[in-house]
Short mmCIF file of all heavy atoms in Angstrom, two decimals:
data_model
loop_
_atom_site.label_atom_id
_atom_site.label_comp_id
_atom_site.label_asym_id
_atom_site.label_seq_id
_atom_site.Cartn_x
_atom_site.Cartn_y
_atom_site.Cartn_z
N PHE A 30 112.98 5.51 190.34
CA PHE A 30 111.65 5.98 190.73
C PHE A 30 110.98 5.06 191.74
O PHE A 30 110.64 5.47 192.86
CB PHE A 30 110.76 6.12 189.49
CG PHE A 30 109.35 6.54 189.83
CD1 PHE A 30 109.09 7.84 190.20
CD2 PHE A 30 108.31 5.63 189.79
CE1 PHE A 30 107.79 8.24 190.53
CE2 PHE A 30 107.02 6.01 190.12
CZ PHE A 30 106.75 7.32 190.49
N TRP A 31 110.82 3.80 191.41
CA TRP A 31 110.08 2.89 192.27
C TRP A 31 110.80 2.68 193.60
O TRP A 31 110.18 2.36 194.61
CB TRP A 31 109.88 1.57 191.56
CG TRP A 31 108.64 0.81 191.93
CD1 TRP A 31 108.56 -0.46 192.43
CD2 TRP A 31 107.28 1.26 191.82
NE1 TRP A 31 107.25 -0.85 192.63
CE2 TRP A 31 106.44 0.21 192.27
CE3 TRP A 31 106.68 2.44 191.41
CZ2 TRP A 31 105.05 0.31 192.30
CZ3 TRP A 31 105.30 2.56 191.43
CH2 TRP A 31 104.51 1.50 191.88
N ALA A 34 109.41 5.84 195.43
CA ALA A 34 107.99 6.18 195.30
C ALA A 34 107.08 5.13 195.91
O ALA A 34 105.95 5.44 196.29
CB ALA A 34 107.64 6.39 193.83
N PHE A 35 107.55 3.89 195.98
CA PHE A 35 106.73 2.81 196.54
C PHE A 35 107.53 2.11 197.63
O PHE A 35 108.19 1.10 197.38
CB PHE A 35 106.33 1.84 195.43
CG PHE A 35 105.37 0.76 195.88
CD1 PHE A 35 104.21 1.08 196.57
CD2 PHE A 35 105.62 -0.57 195.60
CE1 PHE A 35 103.32 0.09 196.98
CE2 PHE A 35 104.74 -1.57 196.00
CZ PHE A 35 103.59 -1.23 196.69
N PRO A 36 107.52 2.63 198.85
CA PRO A 36 108.37 2.10 199.93
C PRO A 36 108.13 0.63 200.26
O PRO A 36 109.02 -0.02 200.80
CB PRO A 36 108.00 2.99 201.12
CG PRO A 36 107.46 4.24 200.52
CD PRO A 36 106.76 3.82 199.26
N ALA A 37 106.94 0.10 199.94
CA ALA A 37 106.65 -1.30 200.25
C ALA A 37 107.18 -2.24 199.18
O ALA A 37 107.14 -3.47 199.36
CB ALA A 37 105.13 -1.50 200.40
N TRP A 187 89.72 -4.09 178.46
CA TRP A 187 90.27 -2.76 178.74
C TRP A 187 89.36 -1.65 178.27
O TRP A 187 89.36 -0.55 178.84
CB TRP A 187 91.67 -2.63 178.14
CG TRP A 187 92.65 -3.45 178.91
CD1 TRP A 187 93.28 -4.59 178.50
CD2 TRP A 187 93.05 -3.23 180.27
NE1 TRP A 187 94.06 -5.08 179.53
CE2 TRP A 187 93.95 -4.27 180.62
CE3 TRP A 187 92.75 -2.26 181.21
CZ2 TRP A 187 94.53 -4.36 181.87
CZ3 TRP A 187 93.32 -2.34 182.47
CH2 TRP A 187 94.21 -3.38 182.78
N TYR A 190 86.97 -1.56 181.13
CA TYR A 190 87.63 -0.94 182.29
C TYR A 190 87.66 0.57 182.13
O TYR A 190 87.38 1.32 183.08
CB TYR A 190 89.04 -1.50 182.42
CG TYR A 190 89.84 -0.89 183.56
CD1 TYR A 190 89.84 -1.47 184.82
CD2 TYR A 190 90.59 0.27 183.36
CE1 TYR A 190 90.57 -0.92 185.87
CE2 TYR A 190 91.31 0.83 184.41
CZ TYR A 190 91.30 0.24 185.65
OH TYR A 190 92.00 0.79 186.68
N ALA A 194 85.84 3.23 184.50
CA ALA A 194 86.68 4.15 185.27
C ALA A 194 86.16 5.58 185.25
O ALA A 194 86.66 6.43 186.01
CB ALA A 194 88.11 4.12 184.74
N LYS A 197 84.62 6.09 189.32
CA LYS A 197 85.46 5.21 190.14
C LYS A 197 84.79 4.75 191.43
O LYS A 197 85.34 3.92 192.15
CB LYS A 197 86.79 5.90 190.45
CG LYS A 197 87.65 6.13 189.21
CD LYS A 197 88.98 6.72 189.57
CE LYS A 197 89.88 6.84 188.36
NZ LYS A 197 89.30 7.74 187.32
N PHE A 202 83.14 -0.43 188.28
CA PHE A 202 84.57 -0.17 188.31
C PHE A 202 85.26 -1.02 189.37
O PHE A 202 86.39 -1.49 189.17
CB PHE A 202 84.84 1.31 188.58
CG PHE A 202 86.30 1.65 188.62
CD1 PHE A 202 87.08 1.61 187.48
CD2 PHE A 202 86.91 1.98 189.83
CE1 PHE A 202 88.44 1.90 187.53
CE2 PHE A 202 88.27 2.27 189.89
CZ PHE A 202 89.03 2.24 188.73
N GLU A 203 84.59 -1.22 190.49
CA GLU A 203 85.16 -2.08 191.53
C GLU A 203 85.36 -3.49 191.02
O GLU A 203 86.39 -4.13 191.30
CB GLU A 203 84.23 -2.09 192.74
CG GLU A 203 84.79 -2.89 193.92
CD GLU A 203 83.87 -2.87 195.13
OE1 GLU A 203 82.92 -2.06 195.15
OE2 GLU A 203 84.11 -3.66 196.06
N LEU A 204 84.41 -3.98 190.22
CA LEU A 204 84.54 -5.32 189.63
C LEU A 204 85.72 -5.38 188.67
O LEU A 204 86.53 -6.31 188.72
CB LEU A 204 83.24 -5.69 188.91
CG LEU A 204 83.25 -7.02 188.14
CD1 LEU A 204 83.48 -8.19 189.10
CD2 LEU A 204 81.95 -7.20 187.37
N PHE A 205 85.82 -4.40 187.79
CA PHE A 205 86.94 -4.37 186.84
C PHE A 205 88.28 -4.24 187.57
O PHE A 205 89.28 -4.83 187.16
CB PHE A 205 86.76 -3.23 185.84
CG PHE A 205 85.95 -3.59 184.63
CD1 PHE A 205 84.61 -3.28 184.57
CD2 PHE A 205 86.53 -4.25 183.56
CE1 PHE A 205 83.86 -3.61 183.46
CE2 PHE A 205 85.80 -4.59 182.44
CZ PHE A 205 84.45 -4.27 182.38
N SER A 206 88.30 -3.46 188.65
CA SER A 206 89.54 -3.29 189.41
C SER A 206 89.97 -4.61 190.06
O SER A 206 91.16 -4.92 190.11
CB SER A 206 89.36 -2.22 190.49
OG SER A 206 89.16 -0.96 189.91
N GLU A 207 89.00 -5.38 190.54
CA GLU A 207 89.32 -6.68 191.13
C GLU A 207 89.96 -7.59 190.09
O GLU A 207 90.91 -8.32 190.39
CB GLU A 207 88.05 -7.32 191.70
CG GLU A 207 87.55 -6.66 192.98
CD GLU A 207 86.30 -7.32 193.50
OE1 GLU A 207 85.86 -8.32 192.91
OE2 GLU A 207 85.74 -6.84 194.51
N VAL A 208 89.44 -7.55 188.88
CA VAL A 208 90.02 -8.37 187.80
C VAL A 208 91.42 -7.86 187.47
O VAL A 208 92.34 -8.64 187.24
CB VAL A 208 89.11 -8.36 186.56
CG1 VAL A 208 89.78 -9.12 185.41
CG2 VAL A 208 87.75 -8.96 186.88
N GLN A 209 91.56 -6.53 187.43
CA GLN A 209 92.86 -5.95 187.11
C GLN A 209 93.92 -6.37 188.13
O GLN A 209 95.07 -6.63 187.77
CB GLN A 209 92.77 -4.42 187.06
CG GLN A 209 94.08 -3.76 186.65
CD GLN A 209 94.08 -2.26 186.89
OE1 GLN A 209 93.36 -1.77 187.76
NE2 GLN A 209 94.88 -1.53 186.14
N TRP A 210 93.55 -6.44 189.40
CA TRP A 210 94.49 -6.82 190.45
C TRP A 210 94.67 -8.33 190.54
O TRP A 210 95.55 -8.80 191.28
CB TRP A 210 94.01 -6.30 191.80
CG TRP A 210 94.23 -4.84 192.02
CD1 TRP A 210 93.38 -3.83 191.71
CD2 TRP A 210 95.39 -4.23 192.60
NE1 TRP A 210 93.93 -2.62 192.05
CE2 TRP A 210 95.15 -2.83 192.61
CE3 TRP A 210 96.58 -4.71 193.11
CZ2 TRP A 210 96.07 -1.91 193.11
CZ3 TRP A 210 97.50 -3.79 193.61
CH2 TRP A 210 97.25 -2.42 193.60
N SER A 211 93.88 -9.10 189.83
CA SER A 211 93.87 -10.55 189.97
C SER A 211 95.04 -11.21 189.26
O SER A 211 95.29 -10.95 188.07
CB SER A 211 92.54 -11.11 189.43
OG SER A 211 92.61 -12.50 189.27
N ALA A 259 97.01 2.81 179.99
CA ALA A 259 96.29 3.81 180.78
C ALA A 259 95.79 3.21 182.09
O ALA A 259 95.86 3.85 183.15
CB ALA A 259 95.13 4.37 179.97
N GLY A 260 95.29 1.97 182.02
CA GLY A 260 94.86 1.30 183.24
C GLY A 260 96.00 1.03 184.19
O GLY A 260 95.84 1.14 185.42
N GLU A 261 97.16 0.71 183.64
CA GLU A 261 98.35 0.50 184.48
C GLU A 261 98.75 1.80 185.17
O GLU A 261 99.23 1.77 186.31
CB GLU A 261 99.50 -0.01 183.61
CG GLU A 261 100.72 -0.47 184.37
CD GLU A 261 100.53 -1.83 185.04
OE1 GLU A 261 99.56 -2.53 184.70
OE2 GLU A 261 101.37 -2.17 185.90
N SER A 262 98.55 2.93 184.51
CA SER A 262 98.85 4.21 185.13
C SER A 262 97.97 4.44 186.35
O SER A 262 98.42 4.97 187.37
CB SER A 262 98.64 5.35 184.11
OG SER A 262 99.55 5.25 183.03
N LEU A 263 96.69 4.03 186.26
CA LEU A 263 95.80 4.13 187.42
C LEU A 263 96.27 3.22 188.55
O LEU A 263 96.16 3.57 189.73
CB LEU A 263 94.37 3.76 187.03
CG LEU A 263 93.60 4.79 186.19
CD1 LEU A 263 92.20 4.27 185.87
CD2 LEU A 263 93.50 6.13 186.93
N LEU A 264 96.80 2.06 188.18
CA LEU A 264 97.31 1.13 189.18
C LEU A 264 98.49 1.74 189.93
O LEU A 264 98.61 1.62 191.15
CB LEU A 264 97.73 -0.19 188.52
CG LEU A 264 98.04 -1.37 189.42
CD1 LEU A 264 96.78 -1.82 190.15
CD2 LEU A 264 98.60 -2.53 188.60
N LYS A 265 99.37 2.41 189.19
CA LYS A 265 100.51 3.09 189.81
C LYS A 265 100.02 4.21 190.73
O LYS A 265 100.61 4.48 191.78
CB LYS A 265 101.44 3.67 188.73
CG LYS A 265 102.08 2.62 187.82
CD LYS A 265 103.02 1.73 188.58
CE LYS A 265 103.79 0.79 187.66
NZ LYS A 265 102.95 -0.28 187.09
N LEU A 266 98.92 4.88 190.35
CA LEU A 266 98.34 5.92 191.19
C LEU A 266 97.89 5.33 192.53
O LEU A 266 98.14 5.91 193.59
CB LEU A 266 97.15 6.57 190.48
CG LEU A 266 96.24 7.47 191.32
CD1 LEU A 266 97.02 8.68 191.84
CD2 LEU A 266 95.03 7.92 190.52
N GLU A 267 97.24 4.16 192.47
CA GLU A 267 96.76 3.53 193.69
C GLU A 267 97.92 3.14 194.60
O GLU A 267 97.81 3.20 195.83
CB GLU A 267 95.92 2.30 193.35
CG GLU A 267 94.59 2.61 192.68
CD GLU A 267 93.76 1.37 192.47
OE1 GLU A 267 93.69 0.54 193.39
OE2 GLU A 267 93.19 1.21 191.38
N LYS A 268 99.05 2.74 194.02
CA LYS A 268 100.18 2.29 194.83
C LYS A 268 101.01 3.43 195.40
O LYS A 268 101.63 3.28 196.45
CB LYS A 268 101.07 1.36 194.00
CG LYS A 268 100.47 -0.01 193.73
CD LYS A 268 101.49 -0.94 193.09
CE LYS A 268 100.95 -2.37 192.99
NZ LYS A 268 101.95 -3.31 192.43
N THR A 269 101.07 4.55 194.69
CA THR A 269 101.96 5.63 195.10
C THR A 269 101.23 6.90 195.52
O THR A 269 101.85 7.77 196.15
CB THR A 269 102.93 6.00 193.95
OG1 THR A 269 102.16 6.54 192.85
CG2 THR A 269 103.69 4.78 193.47
N GLY A 270 99.97 7.03 195.15
CA GLY A 270 99.25 8.26 195.42
C GLY A 270 99.60 9.37 194.46
O GLY A 270 99.15 10.51 194.62
N MET A 271 100.41 9.07 193.44
CA MET A 271 100.81 10.08 192.45
C MET A 271 99.99 9.89 191.17
O MET A 271 99.62 8.79 190.80
CB MET A 271 102.30 9.94 192.12
CG MET A 271 103.19 10.05 193.33
SD MET A 271 104.92 9.80 192.86
CE MET A 271 105.69 9.67 194.48
N THR A 272 99.75 10.99 190.50
CA THR A 272 98.99 10.95 189.25
C THR A 272 99.95 10.86 188.07
O THR A 272 100.91 11.63 188.00
CB THR A 272 98.12 12.22 189.11
OG1 THR A 272 97.24 12.31 190.23
CG2 THR A 272 97.31 12.15 187.83
N PHE A 273 99.67 9.93 187.17
CA PHE A 273 100.53 9.73 186.01
C PHE A 273 99.71 9.84 184.74
O PHE A 273 98.66 9.22 184.62
CB PHE A 273 101.21 8.36 186.04
CG PHE A 273 102.04 8.12 187.26
CD1 PHE A 273 101.56 7.39 188.32
CD2 PHE A 273 103.32 8.65 187.35
CE1 PHE A 273 102.32 7.17 189.45
CE2 PHE A 273 104.09 8.45 188.47
CZ PHE A 273 103.59 7.71 189.52
#
Side-chain angles (χ1 to χ4, degrees):
F30 178 74
W31 210 237
F35 186 51
W187 288 110
Y190 178 92
K197 294 184 175 61
F202 180 69
E203 184 178 348
L204 175 62
F205 272 97
S206 294
E207 288 180 4
V208 176
Q209 184 193 25
W210 283 90
S211 166
E261 189 75 14
S262 296
L263 286 179
L264 192 66
K265 297 295 187 288
L266 168 63
E267 292 184 44
K268 287 189 173 183
T269 65
M271 303 177 190
T272 302
F273 301 99

